[in-house]
Amino acid sequence: MTNKASDYLNASGRIVIKLGSALFFDGANNFNQQWLKSFCQDVLLLKKQNKEIIIVASGAINFGLRILNKDRDDHDLNLLQAAASIGQIELIGAFKSIFDDADIPTAQVLLTSDDCDNRRRHLNSLNTISKLIIENAIPIINENDTVATEEIKFGDNDRLAAKVAQMISADVLVLFSNIKGLCLIEDGKLIEDKIISEINKIDQNIENLVLAQKTKGSAGGMKTKIDAAKIATQSGVHMIIADGRSEYPLSTLLNGGECTLFKANTTPLRAKKQWILSAINIKGEVRIDEGAWQALNNGKSLLPSGILDCSGSFEKGAIINIMKDDGQIIARGITSFSISDLKKIKGQKTSAIHSILGFVANSEVIHRDNLAIIG
Ligand code: GLU
């Protein structure tokens, strides 16, 4: 049997998978190592098919509380933060011991929602995760609970996972938890066994369903999952909610397992270019020569050698305008360099960046994926 979700997963190159805290433990609150092994085996299988897998894992607090021998008290945020810093080592260690056996490096990435929103940190995080993928490592992301409490208070990393999927232009985001999907309501009653398999648009009917499921108390986490679905689908990322409790949850999904698929009606790249074009806070501009303009038109990135001049006040990650020598604004993009660094490298060959700045993070001033031509 197949479902639409499995078609989308099969067609995806880059997949973000979020694991809810509850999945790591059995009913007696023991670490469910066998389950994690089965999940990781699924991940390794997808990696063999050349899919890029990024995991967002909750569970640090639960691991930490077990070590501290304390019960969860949602009013004591500091305790939860401290538990997270203890438990995060266990959480990552659990993945590492499994991926080590497959010779795959495990990478810990701690992020906050702000890191995805702030342009400079967004670009830094994106570059790091992209490099980890190139190096064949598996990035395992969690909220940096020492400095942020958003997802501890409300969310269990659902929205963070959607922001990560948006940031790295994933094709699909899978949210595995103990929720099967969004249930149907018939004659005013919630039918928990009837899961909506496909949602094309999050309209008022869907919002009402979410409210009903929250009131009933049977699916407390649905609100943040819908928030996540909005972030994901608006960014061109399809999102799947599925029950991850059984072993081999990804195989189950790929074999037609029950789930709710939220379809995006754009692609991540188109959504990103649209976002760049609609930006209102433009911090500066670069003037480029005819050769660079030809290159941009042929889908290439903007290199320092083609830049005649630059002006404004901006940091790495800002959106800036690109204009021709005659002053006509022809494109817009996210700069990988601040104005002060750009002034030093403009007109120079890429190979000279290191000796001028003392470091090389990016050789492109604006990468082609971060650039939109004004049509
Ligand atoms: N970052 C938290 C963790 O890893 C999120 C889950 C929670 O709120 O318990 O535990």
Side-chain angles (χ1 to χ4, degrees):
M1 199 169 80
T2 60
N3 53 19
K4 268 277 171 58
S6 59
D7 292 345
Y8 279 82
L9 273 175
N10 277 320
S12 297
R14 183 171 283 190
I15 305 169
V16 175
I17 305 163
K18 184 250 159 174
L19 302 174
S21 300
L23 299 178
F24 291 87
F25 305 93
D26 62 19
N29 205 24
N30 293 315
F31 168 42
N32 203 343
Q33 193 179 23
Q34 203 44 45
W35 171 85
L36 187 61
K37 269 191 184 156
S38 76
F39 167 75
C40 292
Q41 276 168 22
D42 273 353
V43 167
L44 293 171
L45 218 65
L46 290 182
K47 263 184 87 63
K48 280 212 178 96
Q49 296 166 16
N50 286 326
K51 297 194 188 297
E52 298 167 347
I53 308 290
I54 298 93
I55 299 170
V56 177
S58 306
I61 293 175
N62 284 359
F63 272 109
L65 288 173
R66 274 161 31 104
I67 292 169
L68 293 172
N69 211 8
K70 292 233 155 93
D71 289 330
R72 185 169 179 130
D73 173 1
D74 282 327
H75 300 294
D76 191 349
L77 263 185
N78 292 154
L79 170 67
L80 298 183
Q81 289 176 276
S85 70
I86 293 168
Q88 179 65 22
I89 301 167
E90 295 286 305
L91 178 66
I92 286 292
F95 280 103
K96 183 173 169 355
S97 71
I98 299 168
F99 289 135
D100 274 359
D101 287 345
D103 241 357
I104 300 282
T106 302
Q108 171 180 266
V109 180
L110 296 178
L111 290 178
T112 68
S113 178
D114 288 349
D115 297 326
C116 304
D117 296 337
N118 173 289
R119 298 260 165 79
R120 183 177 52 80
R121 280 186 268 154
H122 173 112
L123 211 56
N124 284 337
S125 314
L126 169 62
N127 290 343
T128 305
I129 295 170
S130 304
K131 190 59 106 186
L132 285 169
I133 292 169
I134 291 168
E135 295 300 330
N136 201 30
I138 299 196
I140 302 187
I141 298 169
N142 196 354
E143 184 178 52
N144 188 349
D145 292 325
T146 306
V147 297
T149 54
E150 270 173 64
E151 297 289 332
I152 297 181
K153 282 194 259 180
F154 189 53
D156 197 34
N157 284 343
D158 287 337
R159 286 162 303 186
L160 182 69
K163 286 195 176 185
V164 167
Q166 173 188 41
M167 179 168 78
I168 63 170
S169 301
D171 299 300
V172 175
L173 163 65
V174 182
L175 297 186
F176 277 132
S177 68
N178 51 8
I179 293 173
K180 287 187 197 163
L182 194 61
C183 314
L184 268 178
I185 292 184
E186 280 173 7
D187 300 328
K189 277 206 195 105
L190 201 66
I191 316 288
E192 286 181 26
D193 285 343
K194 286 200 178 164
I195 301 296
I196 304 176
S197 58
E198 216 177 303
I199 294 172
N200 291 310
K201 193 168 184 280
I202 303 170
D203 56 16
Q204 198 52 50
N205 288 336
I206 299 296
E207 301 271 7
N208 292 343
L209 271 179
V210 173
L211 279 177
Q213 304 197 16
K214 213 173 158 235
T215 316
K216 185 138 195 288
S218 62
M222 194 49 84
K223 170 76 176 77
T224 52
K225 288 183 174 47
I226 292 292
D227 290 345
K230 287 182 193 161
I231 297 168
T233 53
Q234 280 164 15
S235 323
V237 183
H238 306 293
M239 195 187 98
I240 296 166
I241 299 177
D243 190 336
R245 283 175 291 185
S246 306
E247 287 182 14
Y248 301 98
L250 278 166
S251 296
T252 306
L253 202 54
L254 283 162
N255 288 328
E258 200 167 39
C259 65
T260 299
L261 165 72
F262 295 84
K263 285 195 339 198
N265 48 22
T266 182
T267 65
L269 204 57
R270 248 189 276 146
K272 189 172 196 181
K273 296 207 172 196
Q274 198 48 49
W275 170 71
I276 290 169
L277 285 176
S278 60
I280 40 174
N281 201 3
I282 308 300
K283 301 282 192 185
E285 62 251 327
V286 287
R287 202 159 49 81
I288 63 170
D289 64 21
E290 192 52 34
W293 172 224
Q294 299 285 341
L296 298 194
N297 261 323
N298 288 327
K300 300 266 168 40
S301 302
L302 178 63
L303 303 177
S305 55
I307 297 180
L308 300 168
D309 212 352
C310 53
S311 58
S313 166
F314 53 85
E315 290 299 316
K316 171 181 181 177
I319 295 185
I320 59 172
N321 280 332
I322 301 170
M323 55 191 193
K324 291 211 300 204
D325 199 9
D326 63 6
Q328 184 197 351
I329 296 171
I330 36 127
R332 187 172 275 179
I334 304 172
T335 169
S336 298
F337 294 90
S338 65
I339 180 81
S340 57
D341 286 343
L342 210 47
K343 277 186 175 156
K344 293 178 199 156
I345 61 167
K346 70 175 166 89
Q348 301 286 342
K349 286 212 164 68
T350 303
S351 55
I353 300 177
H354 186 264
S355 59
I356 298 170
L357 298 181
F359 66 88
V360 186
N362 299 78
S363 49
E364 306 92 0
V365 173
I366 299 179
H367 188 274
R368 61 177 187 273
D369 289 348
N370 293 329
L371 190 143
I373 308 258
I374 295 172

